Amino acid sequence: MKKLAIITTHPIQYHAPWFRLLAATGKVDLKVFYTWSQTEHGVVDRTFGQVIHWDVPLLDGYNYEFVRNVAKDPGSHHKAGIDCPGLIGAIETFNPDIVLVFGWNFKSHFQVMKYFKGRIPVWFRGDSTLLGEKRGIKRYFRRLSLRYVYRYIDKAFYVGSENKKYFKAHGLKEDQLVFAPHAVDNIRFFDSIEKDYHNKAQTWRKELGYGINDLVVLFAGKFENKKRPHFLVNIVKAVNEVRQQPIKLLLVGNGPQEDSLKTISENDRNIQFLPFQNQTMMPIIYRVGNVYCLPSQGPDETWGLGVNEAMASGRGVILSDKVGCGVDLIVVNENGYIFKDSEILKQKLIGLTMEKCKKLGASAQKDIKPWDFNVIVKSILESL
């Protein structure tokens, strides 16, 4: 049985379930090394402005170790935030056959890549894309520097089409690339008699003052610049000036733009806010809305896992063309829409009906089923 060491910053709900599945196969001796040791009992999320304690299990069912991080400003938000002098030694003690590194842009992660390259196979997982990349001298030098970085990996697990283009643009060959899709715990978002998500969502809608015929557009995420919640608020305001029945907008989350968003929305009865909701509440939240909208712009929305969650919850999605998952997940006019500019988004919202939302949602839930943790596990086992 081969031994696989995984290097990542901290436990999250998008990784822990497939770590557990991989370990449960009994076909690999797995150990996960977490390099942001300060997150062992909760993550200080600077954008949400609070300590996040996820309410789903993230540390059971697989072997792991938190490696001491000595960074003066610890975190996964900058290169120097992950500094683990004992990491390489801890990995060597485990004595793996292969090391899989999540993200190169942390001091200790890149050190692992450089140290083990040529000793054992170095695998890599990241989700960067070329979307939003601007032409010019900066792009030229960035391409050169990234080609240097990716010389230190033997195989990359790409999450989708845009991510694959990114790896190829930086020197990786087809035979170095393996598809291992970005996924969520689809089963947790599917409804059942026991979960009763639909009825719980209908109750919540009534508490928020929504009628049975109110069409609710949901935004769920951090209130920050890259996700453009202000843009969405202004679009909905403009759309409601011409729609016979106004659209309701529900924004769920927290972040640095919260106060300004509430200020520009305070006299608009069609716009409401809810604070950050933990994982067990999200399958209900998506069902409070009739359609999910992610208007992110720029290179930082490399995928958009909220889209997976919304689709698994039976909700169609409306995305900016700068959201990384769009080309893979969205079948335009069947499970969602993709817009390039504000005018296109306005027209989509003006023409949106409850019946269209139902059709989009039914297709979305069917289409997301293949994007599953089991596919990731299968790809790793086959690569072993």
Side-chain angles (χ1 to χ4, degrees):
M1 183 186 299
K2 289 190 176 181
K3 302 178 74 173
L4 173 65
I6 294 180
I7 317 304
T8 189
T9 53
H10 59 293
I12 63 172
Q13 68 274 22
Y14 303 122
H15 294 159
W18 70 259
F19 293 167
R20 192 179 302 124
L21 283 172
L22 183 58
T25 66
K27 296 178 179 179
V28 59
D29 185 357
L30 170 69
K31 185 170 185 178
V32 179
F33 293 86
Y34 288 117
T35 56
W36 188 2
S37 56
Q38 291 83 358
T39 65
E40 185 170 3
H41 303 293
V43 180
V44 179
D45 193 297
R46 299 185 182 214
T47 309
F48 276 132
Q50 57 185 289
V51 178
I52 304 296
H53 299 280
W54 299 116
D55 61 357
V56 292
L58 299 179
L59 292 173
D60 60 349
Y62 63 94
N63 189 17
Y64 67 89
E65 177 181 341
F66 282 88
V67 182
R68 184 168 177 260
N69 178 24
V70 301
K72 293 181 179 179
D73 183 18
S76 61
H77 54 283
H78 61 97
K79 182 177 180 179
I82 302 295
D83 185 2
C84 306
L87 177 58
I88 290 175
I91 296 170
E92 287 190 314
T93 298
F94 178 58
N95 193 28
D97 298 292
I98 299 160
V99 61
L100 169 57
V101 181
F102 284 54
W104 64 267
N105 57 328
F106 307 114
K107 177 181 178 180
S108 290
H109 289 210
F110 191 44
Q111 287 174 342
V112 166
M113 291 164 59
K114 293 174 70 175
Y115 180 83
F116 285 103
K117 175 64 175 177
R119 289 180 166 90
I120 59 175
V122 176
W123 292 354
F124 183 81
R125 185 165 175 84
D127 61 4
S128 296
T129 74
L130 302 176
L131 293 173
E133 187 181 50
K134 297 179 180 179
R135 296 180 180 274
I137 192 68
K138 288 185 178 179
R139 185 181 80 163
Y140 172 78
F141 283 111
R142 178 169 174 79
R143 289 277 178 94
L144 285 179
S145 64
L146 288 172
R147 281 178 172 267
Y148 167 76
V149 167
Y150 292 122
R151 288 173 53 200
Y152 290 103
I153 69 172
D154 300 295
K155 190 185 298 291
F157 293 88
Y158 66 93
V159 303
S161 302
E162 298 293 349
N163 184 216
K164 185 177 184 179
K165 291 178 185 177
Y166 167 89
F167 282 131
K168 284 192 167 184
H170 297 109
L172 294 179
K173 306 301 181 184
E174 184 71 32
D175 61 1
Q176 292 179 279
L177 299 173
V178 179
F179 179 54
H182 257 327
V184 302
D185 190 352
N186 286 336
I187 294 174
R188 186 163 63 82
F189 288 89
F190 294 161
D191 206 351
S192 67
I193 294 175
E194 294 75 23
K195 296 173 183 175
D196 199 26
Y197 291 151
H198 174 78
N199 288 327
K200 290 176 180 176
Q202 293 307 305
T203 299
W204 207 341
R205 280 176 63 101
K206 290 178 183 178
E207 292 173 355
L208 291 167
Y210 297 140
I212 190 170
N213 294 317
D214 282 330
L215 199 161
V216 180
V217 173
L218 174 71
F219 172 96
K222 297 178 180 180
F223 298 160
E224 59 182 345
N225 186 55
K226 78 171 184 179
K227 293 186 181 292
R228 297 201 299 173
H230 279 89
F231 168 82
L232 183 56
V233 166
N234 290 327
I235 291 292
V236 169
K237 284 174 173 285
V239 165
N240 282 342
E241 291 179 1
V242 297
R243 271 185 65 105
Q244 185 173 2
Q245 182 182 9
I247 281 177
K248 307 294 183 179
L249 176 61
L250 177 61
L251 298 105
V252 180
N254 297 103
Q257 297 184 350
E258 183 174 354
D259 289 343
S260 60
L261 284 166
K262 288 182 176 179
T263 297
I264 67 172
S265 306
E266 60 184 352
N267 296 318
D268 194 326
R269 62 181 183 178
N270 295 313
I271 301 175
Q272 293 195 66
F273 293 82
L274 286 174
F276 164 83
Q277 302 293 312
N278 218 316
Q279 282 298 295
T280 56
M281 300 305 295
M282 290 309 297
I284 306 171
I285 282 289
Y286 287 115
R287 289 170 171 83
V288 170
N290 300 104
V291 67
Y292 175 70
C293 186
L294 184 58
S296 302
Q297 190 79 18
D300 293 331
E301 195 68 80
T302 53
W303 185 260
L305 280 158
V307 175
N308 296 62
E309 294 177 343
M311 293 177 71
S313 301
R315 292 298 179 265
V317 292
I318 304 175
L319 305 180
S320 158
D321 64 342
K322 297 300 187 293
V323 177
C325 70
V327 67
D328 292 297
L329 297 186
I330 305 307
V331 182
V332 176
N333 296 325
E334 291 189 19
N335 63 23
Y337 306 117
I338 297 176
F339 65 90
K340 293 184 178 182
D341 55 46
S342 59
E343 287 306 313
I344 294 176
L345 177 57
K346 284 180 185 177
Q347 293 306 312
K348 292 301 181 185
L349 292 179
I350 288 171
L352 201 60
T353 66
M354 195 69 75
E355 188 61 30
K356 284 183 180 179
C357 287
K358 290 178 180 177
K359 290 181 179 179
L360 294 174
S363 294
Q365 192 168 63
K366 172 176 63 70
D367 293 341
I368 201 63
K369 288 181 180 179
W371 295 76
D372 180 74
F373 287 138
N374 289 300
V375 182
I376 304 176
V377 171
K378 181 180 178 182
S379 294
I380 290 178
L381 292 177
E382 289 179 350
S383 297
L384 285 170

